[in-house]
Amino acid sequence: GAGVSQTPSNKVTEKGKYVELRCDPISGHTALYWYRQSLGQGPEFLIYFQGTGAADDSGLPNDRFFAVRPEGSVSTLKIQRTERGDSAVYLCASSLTGLANNEQFFGPGTRLTVL
Amino acid sequence: AQSVTQPDIHITVSEGASLELRCNYSYGATPYLFWYVQSPGQGLQLLLKYFSGDTLVQGIKGFEAEFKRSQSSFNLRKPSVHWSDAAEYFCAVAPDYKLSFGAGTTVTVRA
């Protein structure tokens, strides 16, 4: 079956611009996660959705970052007024439920470069 | 706060040789433990996980890991490495739904 997909695979933007990153989770997975992976680091948690609601957004670095999942499936991560420090690979994952013992399946990521 | 330490940034191993990747965690209780592999251009793939029970866990691609509570460690091993095992490996812990990753170990396999 189809795995988690993310679009675009690469995004280059200029400082100050607005970007949207999209995630299509595995069908039927109620839990969706966003992580950010900076160069040479492991992924860092950003936000967790259970269904349509953001159950935990404690990892979002500041109010320039926002994510939605309006119908409980596709999610969009939105970054306003991008900064060079936002350059990273943004990973999306989904799992059947939000229980810790459910495997999280990761997408290939979106590489964001802010010039 | 929990943390995960992978002491080795980069390991080079000959094809056919054994491999061991180290992982130490800091957490008040025993969290769920995971090893993921990331190949260039690919998403993270789960190799194995430990929740409870037998402390020696078998995973995919011939990997295994051993949980040692006394050392707060969850080291990954493979008896005989193949060239396709060249990748970056991440240890992760999860007290709940939130995965916390180490910085990763890059494995290079030489012929």
Side-chain angles (χ1 to χ4, degrees):
Chain A
V4 177
S5 62
Q6 294 185 245
T7 54
S9 55
N10 281 282
K11 176 71 176 178
V12 180
T13 191
E14 294 179 343
K15 180 176 178 295
K17 299 289 189 181
Y18 167 83
V19 296
E20 290 189 351
L21 312 179
R22 176 187 167 105
C23 172
D24 277 271
I26 293 173
S27 178
H29 281 192
T30 65
L32 185 145
Y33 316 80
W34 284 97
Y35 293 84
R36 180 168 72 172
Q37 186 175 17
S38 301
L39 194 62
Q41 300 296 318
E44 293 179 310
F45 170 81
L46 293 177
I47 187 169
Y48 157 57
F49 285 91
Q50 182 56 251
T52 60
D56 182 349
D57 64 358
S58 62
L60 295 178
N62 51 59
D63 61 6
R64 295 187 297 105
F65 289 75
F66 189 71
V68 296
R69 195 186 185 199
E71 298 178 355
S73 178
V74 170
S75 176
T76 304
L77 179 66
K78 307 180 181 194
I79 310 174
Q80 298 177 321
R81 304 183 304 281
T82 52
E83 299 178 356
R84 292 193 180 87
D86 299 334
S87 296
V89 176
Y90 290 82
L91 298 169
C92 177
S94 70
S95 63
L96 192 59
T97 74
L99 295 175
N101 60 359
N102 274 192
E103 179 179 349
Q104 293 185 25
F105 294 85
F106 283 81
T110 294
R111 182 176 298 277
L112 175 66
T113 303
V114 182
L115 301 177
Chain B
Q2 68 269 20
S3 67
V4 181
T5 301
Q6 294 181 246
D8 304 303
I9 296 173
H10 189 203
I11 287 181
T12 298
V13 61
S14 297
E15 193 168 14
S18 64
L19 174 68
E20 181 167 15
L21 304 182
R22 296 182 290 164
C23 173
N24 292 93
Y25 67 91
S26 171
Y27 188 63
T30 300
Y32 297 132
L33 297 161
F34 306 82
W35 275 99
Y36 282 85
V37 61
Q38 187 176 41
S39 300
Q42 304 293 316
L44 288 159
Q45 182 182 23
L46 181 66
L47 287 175
L48 45 78
K49 58 191 176 187
Y50 173 77
F51 295 152
S52 64
D54 192 347
T55 57
L56 187 61
V57 180
Q58 301 298 319
I60 63 172
K61 303 186 179 188
F63 284 92
E64 66 178 24
E66 185 172 14
F67 168 62
K68 293 186 177 180
R69 185 188 308 274
S70 61
Q71 298 176 19
S72 296
S73 69
F74 188 55
N75 294 348
L76 182 72
R77 298 193 293 253
K78 185 167 184 176
S80 178
V81 169
H82 187 261
W83 64 266
S84 61
D85 293 322
E88 189 154 21
Y89 293 79
F90 292 94
C91 180
V93 304
D96 49 36
Y97 49 80
K98 194 184 305 184
L99 287 170
S100 180
F101 288 86
T105 298
T106 300
V107 173
T108 298
V109 180
R110 60 182 174 218

